[in-house]
Amino acid sequence: MIRRVFRLTFRAVLAFVILSVLWVLIYRVVPVPYTFTMLGDRLSGTGVTKQWEPLDRIDPDMARAAIAGEDARFCLHHGFDVGAIEQAAKRNARGGRIRGGSTISQQTAKNVFLFQRGGYLRKAAEAWFTLLIETLWGKRRIMEVYLNVAETGIGTYGVEAGAQRYFGHGADRLSPTEAARIAAILPLPKKRDAVDPHGFVRRHGNALARYEGVVRRSGLDGCLR
């Protein structure tokens, strides 16, 4: 009985590994057609607006703003920023609003392959897919996918759709301020708006607009060039 359970478990794990690797390899070259989050919006009647754009057709300031706001060490780590995770744990231990320490790579893995909610099992799967995309995709592809699947508003996915929604033009013509405003709403896209922002979004967006130059001058976006 124990041997049978072991064999079944081994086969299930092996099948998961093989299928997940194939899934990641396919998305290395094929635009991500849909995610579970998009499916949730579709089933709820919200609708989905998206338009895939290669990284070369997205203004570089958008990636810089994402790095400044979400993951300053994106080009330096291998998927996980231990320092950021430790800092987030310390802040959360003090109480108040829960903050995460997820990198852009982790967010991409979650957005593309998994559900938004879940416990330790989903976290384990997120770590596995993060390792896979870091190994099989590389940084440019990770950023390209992230900027195309990240939620930029209610039912709006990707920075191209976000740029069209908020500013009436494509992501290839984003100004530093516009890119920063989109980056400022990424953590809470259903509750923030890049048009005529106020409060935190305005302050954070203005800060990110300044940090874009720091990212460029410091070479923190070097892996994308």
Coordinates of all heavy atoms in Angstrom, one line a residue, residues 152-209:
T152 N -3.8 46.5 -15.1 CA -3.6 48.0 -15.0 C -4.9 48.7 -14.8 O -4.9 49.9 -15.0 CB -2.9 48.4 -16.3 OG1 -3.6 48.0 -17.5 CG2 -1.4 47.9 -16.4
G153 N -5.9 48.0 -14.4 CA -7.2 48.6 -14.2 C -8.2 47.6 -14.2 O -7.9 46.4 -14.4
I154 N -9.5 47.9 -13.8 CA -10.5 46.9 -13.8 C -10.7 46.3 -15.2 O -11.1 47.0 -16.1 CB -11.8 47.5 -13.2 CG1 -11.6 48.0 -11.8 CG2 -13.0 46.5 -13.3 CD1 -12.8 48.7 -11.2
G155 N -10.5 45.0 -15.3 CA -10.6 44.4 -16.6 C -9.6 44.8 -17.7 O -9.8 44.4 -18.8
T156 N -8.6 45.5 -17.3 CA -7.6 46.0 -18.2 C -6.2 45.3 -17.9 O -5.8 45.4 -16.7 CB -7.4 47.5 -18.1 OG1 -8.7 48.1 -18.3 CG2 -6.4 48.0 -19.1
Y157 N -5.6 44.7 -18.9 CA -4.4 44.0 -18.7 C -3.3 44.4 -19.6 O -3.5 44.6 -20.8 CB -4.7 42.5 -18.8 CG -5.5 41.9 -17.7 CD1 -6.9 42.0 -17.8 CD2 -5.0 41.4 -16.6 CE1 -7.7 41.5 -16.8 CE2 -5.8 40.9 -15.6 CZ -7.1 41.0 -15.7 OH -7.9 40.5 -14.7
G158 N -2.1 44.7 -19.1 CA -1.0 45.1 -19.9 C -0.9 46.6 -20.0 O -1.9 47.3 -19.9
V159 N 0.4 47.0 -20.2 CA 0.6 48.5 -20.2 C 0.1 49.1 -21.5 O -0.2 50.3 -21.6 CB 2.1 48.8 -20.0 CG1 2.5 48.3 -18.7 CG2 2.9 48.2 -21.1
E160 N 0.0 48.3 -22.6 CA -0.6 48.9 -23.8 C -2.1 49.2 -23.6 O -2.5 50.3 -23.9 CB -0.4 47.9 -25.0 CG -1.1 48.3 -26.3 CD -0.5 49.5 -26.9 OE1 0.7 49.8 -26.6 OE2 -1.2 50.2 -27.7
A161 N -2.8 48.3 -23.1 CA -4.2 48.6 -22.8 C -4.4 49.7 -21.8 O -5.3 50.5 -21.9 CB -4.9 47.3 -22.3
G162 N -3.5 49.7 -20.8 CA -3.5 50.7 -19.8 C -3.2 52.1 -20.4 O -3.9 53.1 -20.0
A163 N -2.2 52.2 -21.2 CA -1.9 53.5 -21.9 C -3.1 54.0 -22.7 O -3.4 55.2 -22.7 CB -0.6 53.3 -22.7
Q164 N -3.7 53.1 -23.5 CA -4.8 53.4 -24.3 C -6.0 53.9 -23.4 O -6.7 54.9 -23.7 CB -5.3 52.3 -25.2 CG -4.3 51.8 -26.2 CD -4.2 52.8 -27.4 OE1 -4.9 53.8 -27.5 NE2 -3.2 52.6 -28.3
R165 N -6.2 53.2 -22.3 CA -7.3 53.5 -21.4 C -7.2 54.9 -20.7 O -8.1 55.7 -20.7 CB -7.5 52.5 -20.3 CG -8.4 52.8 -19.2 CD -8.6 51.7 -18.2 NE -9.5 52.0 -17.1 CZ -10.0 51.2 -16.3 NH1 -9.7 49.9 -16.4 NH2 -10.8 51.6 -15.3
Y166 N -6.0 55.2 -20.2 CA -5.7 56.4 -19.4 C -5.3 57.6 -20.3 O -5.6 58.7 -19.9 CB -4.7 56.1 -18.3 CG -5.1 55.0 -17.4 CD1 -4.4 53.9 -17.2 CD2 -6.3 55.1 -16.6 CE1 -4.8 52.9 -16.3 CE2 -6.7 54.2 -15.7 CZ -5.9 53.0 -15.6 OH -6.3 52.1 -14.7
F167 N -4.5 57.3 -21.3 CA -3.9 58.5 -22.0 C -4.2 58.6 -23.5 O -3.8 59.5 -24.1 CB -2.4 58.4 -21.8 CG -2.0 58.2 -20.4 CD1 -1.3 57.1 -20.0 CD2 -2.3 59.2 -19.4 CE1 -0.9 56.9 -18.6 CE2 -1.9 59.0 -18.1 CZ -1.2 57.9 -17.7
G168 N -4.9 57.6 -24.0 CA -5.4 57.7 -25.4 C -4.3 57.4 -26.4 O -4.5 57.8 -27.6
H169 N -3.2 56.8 -26.1 CA -2.2 56.5 -27.1 C -1.4 55.2 -26.6 O -1.7 54.7 -25.5 CB -1.2 57.6 -27.3 CG -0.5 58.0 -26.0 ND1 0.5 57.3 -25.4 CD2 -0.6 59.2 -25.2 CE1 1.0 57.9 -24.3 NE2 0.3 59.0 -24.2
G170 N -0.6 54.7 -27.5 CA 0.1 53.4 -27.2 C 1.2 53.5 -26.1 O 1.7 54.6 -25.8
A171 N 1.6 52.4 -25.7 CA 2.7 52.3 -24.7 C 4.0 52.7 -25.2 O 5.0 52.9 -24.5 CB 2.8 50.9 -24.1
D172 N 4.1 52.7 -26.5 CA 5.4 53.1 -27.2 C 5.7 54.6 -27.0 O 6.8 55.1 -27.3 CB 5.4 52.7 -28.6 CG 4.3 53.4 -29.4 OD1 3.2 53.7 -28.9 OD2 4.5 53.6 -30.6
R173 N 4.6 55.4 -26.7 CA 4.8 56.9 -26.6 C 4.5 57.4 -25.1 O 4.2 58.5 -24.9 CB 3.8 57.5 -27.5 CG 4.1 57.3 -29.0 CD 3.4 58.2 -29.9 NE 1.9 57.9 -30.0 CZ 1.0 58.8 -29.6 NH1 1.4 60.0 -29.1 NH2 -0.3 58.5 -29.7
L174 N 4.7 56.5 -24.2 CA 4.5 56.9 -22.8 C 5.6 58.0 -22.4 O 6.7 57.8 -22.6 CB 4.6 55.7 -21.8 CG 3.3 54.8 -21.8 CD1 3.7 53.5 -21.0 CD2 2.1 55.5 -21.2
S175 N 5.1 59.0 -21.7 CA 6.1 59.9 -21.1 C 6.6 59.3 -19.8 O 5.9 58.4 -19.2 CB 5.4 61.3 -20.9 OG 4.5 61.2 -19.8
P176 N 7.7 59.8 -19.2 CA 8.1 59.3 -17.9 C 7.0 59.4 -16.8 O 6.9 58.5 -16.0 CB 9.3 60.2 -17.6 CG 9.8 60.6 -18.9 CD 8.6 60.8 -19.8
T177 N 6.2 60.5 -16.9 CA 5.2 60.7 -15.9 C 4.1 59.7 -16.1 O 3.5 59.1 -15.1 CB 4.6 62.1 -15.9 OG1 5.7 63.1 -15.6 CG2 3.5 62.3 -14.9
E178 N 3.7 59.5 -17.3 CA 2.6 58.5 -17.6 C 3.0 57.1 -17.2 O 2.2 56.3 -16.7 CB 2.3 58.6 -19.1 CG 1.5 59.9 -19.5 CD 1.4 60.0 -21.0 OE1 2.1 59.3 -21.8 OE2 0.6 60.8 -21.4
A179 N 4.3 56.7 -17.6 CA 4.8 55.4 -17.2 C 4.8 55.2 -15.7 O 4.4 54.2 -15.1 CB 6.2 55.2 -17.7
A180 N 5.2 56.3 -15.0 CA 5.2 56.3 -13.5 C 3.8 56.1 -12.9 O 3.6 55.4 -11.9 CB 5.9 57.5 -12.9
R181 N 2.8 56.8 -13.5 CA 1.4 56.7 -13.0 C 0.9 55.3 -13.2 O 0.2 54.8 -12.3 CB 0.5 57.7 -13.7 CG 0.8 59.1 -13.3 CD -0.2 60.1 -14.0 NE 0.0 61.5 -13.5 CZ -0.7 62.5 -14.0 NH1 -1.6 62.3 -14.9 NH2 -0.4 63.7 -13.5
I182 N 1.2 54.6 -14.3 CA 0.7 53.3 -14.5 C 1.4 52.3 -13.5 O 0.8 51.5 -12.9 CB 1.0 52.8 -15.9 CG1 0.1 53.5 -17.0 CG2 0.8 51.3 -16.1 CD1 0.4 53.1 -18.4
A183 N 2.7 52.6 -13.3 CA 3.4 51.7 -12.3 C 2.9 51.9 -10.9 O 2.9 51.0 -10.1 CB 4.9 52.1 -12.3
A184 N 2.4 53.2 -10.6 CA 1.9 53.5 -9.3 C 0.6 52.7 -9.0 O 0.3 52.5 -7.8 CB 1.7 55.0 -9.1
I185 N -0.2 52.3 -10.0 CA -1.4 51.6 -9.7 C -1.3 50.1 -9.8 O -2.2 49.4 -9.5 CB -2.5 52.1 -10.7 CG1 -2.2 51.6 -12.2 CG2 -2.7 53.6 -10.7 CD1 -3.3 51.9 -13.2
L186 N -0.1 49.6 -10.2 CA 0.1 48.2 -10.3 C -0.3 47.4 -9.0 O -0.9 46.3 -9.1 CB 1.5 47.8 -10.8 CG 1.8 48.2 -12.2 CD1 3.3 47.9 -12.6 CD2 0.9 47.4 -13.2
P187 N 0.1 47.9 -7.8 CA -0.2 47.1 -6.6 C -1.7 46.9 -6.3 O -2.1 45.9 -5.8 CB 0.5 47.8 -5.5 CG 1.6 48.6 -6.2 CD 1.0 49.0 -7.5
L188 N -2.5 47.9 -6.7 CA -3.9 47.9 -6.4 C -4.7 48.4 -7.7 O -5.3 49.5 -7.6 CB -4.3 48.7 -5.2 CG -3.8 48.1 -3.8 CD1 -4.1 49.1 -2.7 CD2 -4.6 46.8 -3.5
P189 N -4.6 47.7 -8.8 CA -5.2 48.2 -10.0 C -6.7 48.4 -10.0 O -7.2 49.2 -10.8 CB -4.8 47.2 -11.1 CG -4.6 45.9 -10.3 CD -4.0 46.4 -8.9
K190 N -7.4 47.7 -9.2 CA -8.9 47.8 -9.1 C -9.3 49.0 -8.3 O -10.5 49.4 -8.3 CB -9.5 46.5 -8.6 CG -9.5 45.4 -9.6 CD -10.2 44.2 -9.0 CE -10.5 43.1 -10.1 NZ -9.4 42.7 -10.9
K191 N -8.4 49.6 -7.5 CA -8.7 50.7 -6.6 C -8.1 52.0 -7.0 O -8.3 53.0 -6.3 CB -8.4 50.3 -5.2 CG -9.2 49.1 -4.7 CD -8.9 48.8 -3.2 CE -9.7 47.6 -2.7 NZ -9.3 47.3 -1.3
R192 N -7.2 52.0 -8.0 CA -6.4 53.2 -8.3 C -6.6 53.6 -9.8 O -7.0 52.7 -10.6 CB -4.9 53.0 -8.1 CG -4.6 52.8 -6.6 CD -3.2 52.4 -6.4 NE -2.9 52.2 -4.9 CZ -1.7 51.8 -4.5 NH1 -0.7 51.6 -5.3 NH2 -1.5 51.6 -3.2
D193 N -6.4 54.8 -10.1 CA -6.6 55.3 -11.5 C -5.5 56.2 -11.8 O -5.1 57.1 -11.0 CB -8.0 56.1 -11.5 CG -8.5 56.3 -13.0 OD1 -7.7 56.6 -13.8 OD2 -9.6 56.0 -13.2
A194 N -5.0 56.1 -13.1 CA -3.8 56.9 -13.5 C -4.3 58.2 -14.1 O -3.4 59.1 -14.3 CB -3.0 56.1 -14.6
V195 N -5.5 58.4 -14.3 CA -6.0 59.7 -14.8 C -6.4 60.6 -13.7 O -7.2 60.2 -12.8 CB -7.3 59.5 -15.7 CG1 -7.8 60.8 -16.2 CG2 -6.9 58.7 -16.9
D196 N -5.8 61.8 -13.7 CA -6.1 62.8 -12.6 C -5.9 62.1 -11.2 O -6.8 62.2 -10.4 CB -7.4 63.4 -12.7 CG -7.6 64.6 -11.8 OD1 -6.6 65.2 -11.4 OD2 -8.8 64.9 -11.4
P197 N -4.7 61.5 -11.0 CA -4.5 60.8 -9.7 C -4.4 61.8 -8.5 O -4.1 63.0 -8.7 CB -3.2 60.1 -9.9 CG -2.5 60.9 -10.9 CD -3.5 61.5 -11.8
H198 N -4.7 61.3 -7.4 CA -4.6 62.2 -6.2 C -4.1 61.3 -5.0 O -4.1 60.1 -5.1 CB -5.9 62.8 -5.8 CG -7.0 61.8 -5.6 ND1 -7.8 61.3 -6.7 CD2 -7.5 61.2 -4.5 CE1 -8.7 60.4 -6.2 NE2 -8.5 60.4 -4.9
G199 N -3.7 62.0 -3.9 CA -3.3 61.2 -2.8 C -2.1 60.4 -3.0 O -1.1 60.9 -3.6
F200 N -2.1 59.1 -2.6 CA -1.0 58.3 -2.7 C -0.5 58.1 -4.1 O 0.7 58.1 -4.4 CB -1.3 56.9 -2.0 CG -0.2 55.9 -2.3 CD1 0.9 55.8 -1.4 CD2 -0.3 55.0 -3.3 CE1 1.9 54.9 -1.6 CE2 0.7 54.0 -3.5 CZ 1.8 54.0 -2.7
V201 N -1.5 57.9 -5.0 CA -1.1 57.6 -6.4 C -0.3 58.8 -7.0 O 0.7 58.6 -7.7 CB -2.4 57.3 -7.3 CG1 -2.0 57.1 -8.7 CG2 -3.1 56.1 -6.7
R202 N -0.7 60.0 -6.7 CA 0.0 61.2 -7.2 C 1.4 61.2 -6.6 O 2.4 61.4 -7.3 CB -0.8 62.4 -6.9 CG -0.1 63.7 -7.3 CD -0.9 65.0 -7.0 NE -2.1 65.0 -7.9 CZ -2.1 65.6 -9.1 NH1 -0.9 66.0 -9.6 NH2 -3.2 65.6 -9.8
R203 N 1.5 61.1 -5.3 CA 2.8 61.2 -4.6 C 3.7 60.1 -5.1 O 4.9 60.3 -5.4 CB 2.6 61.1 -3.1 CG 1.9 62.3 -2.5 CD 2.0 62.3 -1.0 NE 1.5 61.1 -0.4 CZ 0.3 60.9 0.0 NH1 -0.7 61.8 -0.2 NH2 -0.1 59.7 0.5
H204 N 3.2 58.8 -5.1 CA 4.0 57.7 -5.5 C 4.4 57.8 -7.0 O 5.5 57.5 -7.4 CB 3.2 56.4 -5.3 CG 4.1 55.2 -5.4 ND1 5.3 55.1 -4.9 CD2 3.8 54.0 -6.0 CE1 5.8 53.9 -5.1 NE2 4.9 53.2 -5.8
G205 N 3.5 58.2 -7.8 CA 3.7 58.4 -9.2 C 4.8 59.4 -9.5 O 5.7 59.2 -10.3
N206 N 4.7 60.5 -8.8 CA 5.8 61.6 -8.9 C 7.1 61.1 -8.5 O 8.2 61.4 -9.1 CB 5.4 62.8 -8.1 CG 4.2 63.5 -8.7 OD1 3.9 63.4 -9.9 ND2 3.5 64.4 -7.9
A207 N 7.1 60.3 -7.4 CA 8.4 59.7 -6.9 C 9.0 58.7 -7.9 O 10.2 58.8 -8.2 CB 8.2 59.0 -5.6
L208 N 8.1 57.9 -8.5 CA 8.6 56.9 -9.5 C 9.1 57.6 -10.7 O 10.1 57.1 -11.3 CB 7.5 55.9 -9.8 CG 7.0 55.0 -8.7 CD1 5.9 54.1 -9.3 CD2 8.2 54.2 -8.2
A209 N 8.5 58.7 -11.1 CA 9.0 59.5 -12.3 C 10.4 59.9 -12.1 O 11.2 59.9 -13.0 CB 8.1 60.6 -12.6

